[in-house]
Every structure is written in C-alpha cells, then in structure tokens.
Amino acid sequence: MPAANGTIRDKRSTAELFAENTYQVTDGFALVAGAQIFRAMRGTDNDTAFFISDYPDGTVSRTYTYLNPKIGAIWTPAGGTTQFYGNLSRNHEAPSSVVFYTQRGSLPNSPKSTLNAQRADTV
C-alpha cells in the first residue's frame, strides 16, 4: 500500500482446521464436542516518514496460534417436533495485517507493539 510519505508492504495468511462430533446419549439427548485449530501469520515492512504515527516504521511479523474448544447439548422432547440446543464455544480473530503493528502512544517516538488477537466466549 503506497503511503503519502513511504511504503507499507503487508503479508498475511490464515489456516483453520475444524472437527466436530455428536454423541447420541439417549433417544432424546445428544452431546456435541468440537475444536478448531486456528493459525494466522501477519507481517509488515513499513518504510514511513518519521511524522506518520498510524503506521510505525520497521519490519515485524507475528504468528497467532489458538485452539478454540466447543461443547454443546441437544435435547429433543418426546414427540420429536422441537429441539433445544445449548452451546459454549471460544473464538479468536487475529488483527488485520495493516494495523497489527502499531504505536502504543500518539507521538512518533512512542514504543511500538503488535496487537493481540481478539477473543470471544459464546454461550
């Protein structure tokens, strides 16, 4: 991405593997278990002017690797016309490759850092 006073070259890749299985405990009750393995690589090579604070100068890369578990249950009352489903799961999302490397402060010489992945738990 050309900047007004420099160049930003970003690299990114993401790979995910997901597996899930349902175990029928009784005719009306089942357990669901699953897992997702998530790996994302982010990299940037910034050649920016010293007064541009949004995208700091430098080359950096980071790899984000997470295991996201999932567990749930399915209950089908007698008659079988309705199902109730409950689920607890975790999810991670790596930051975009342009903004994952940032200044911690607003001044040009503020310390630089990489952002962590977002994490969410869903019920």
Side-chain angles (χ1 to χ4, degrees):
M1 170 192 321
N5 293 295
T7 303
I8 298 172
R9 290 175 291 280
D10 64 324
K11 300 171 274 192
R12 62 184 168 264
S13 67
T14 303
E16 298 177 26
L17 178 64
F18 181 76
E20 182 176 284
N21 194 23
T22 303
Y23 177 69
Q24 197 71 40
V25 179
T26 67
D27 286 343
F29 185 73
L31 294 175
V32 180
Q36 174 196 45
I37 298 172
F38 167 85
R39 183 179 176 121
M41 291 182 283
R42 302 291 187 254
T44 190
D45 183 9
N46 298 347
D47 181 15
T48 57
F50 72 93
F51 56 84
I52 297 176
S53 62
D54 290 341
Y55 305 107
D57 197 32
T59 300
V60 69
S61 64
R62 182 170 175 184
T63 300
Y64 303 85
T65 305
Y66 296 98
L67 174 65
N68 297 319
K70 172 185 175 180
I71 188 164
I74 303 170
W75 176 52
T76 308
T81 60
T82 305
Q83 281 190 332
F84 296 93
Y85 178 75
N87 179 45
L88 176 62
S89 63
R90 173 164 292 154
N91 188 30
H92 287 87
E93 182 179 345
S96 73
S97 57
V98 175
V99 299
F100 90 101
Y101 180 50
T102 184
Q103 302 276 40
R104 279 195 252 165
S106 59
L107 299 175
N109 292 325
S110 296
K112 300 164 187 150
S113 66
T114 56
L115 297 176
N116 293 326
Q118 294 180 42
R119 177 182 141 180
D121 295 317
T122 306
V123 178

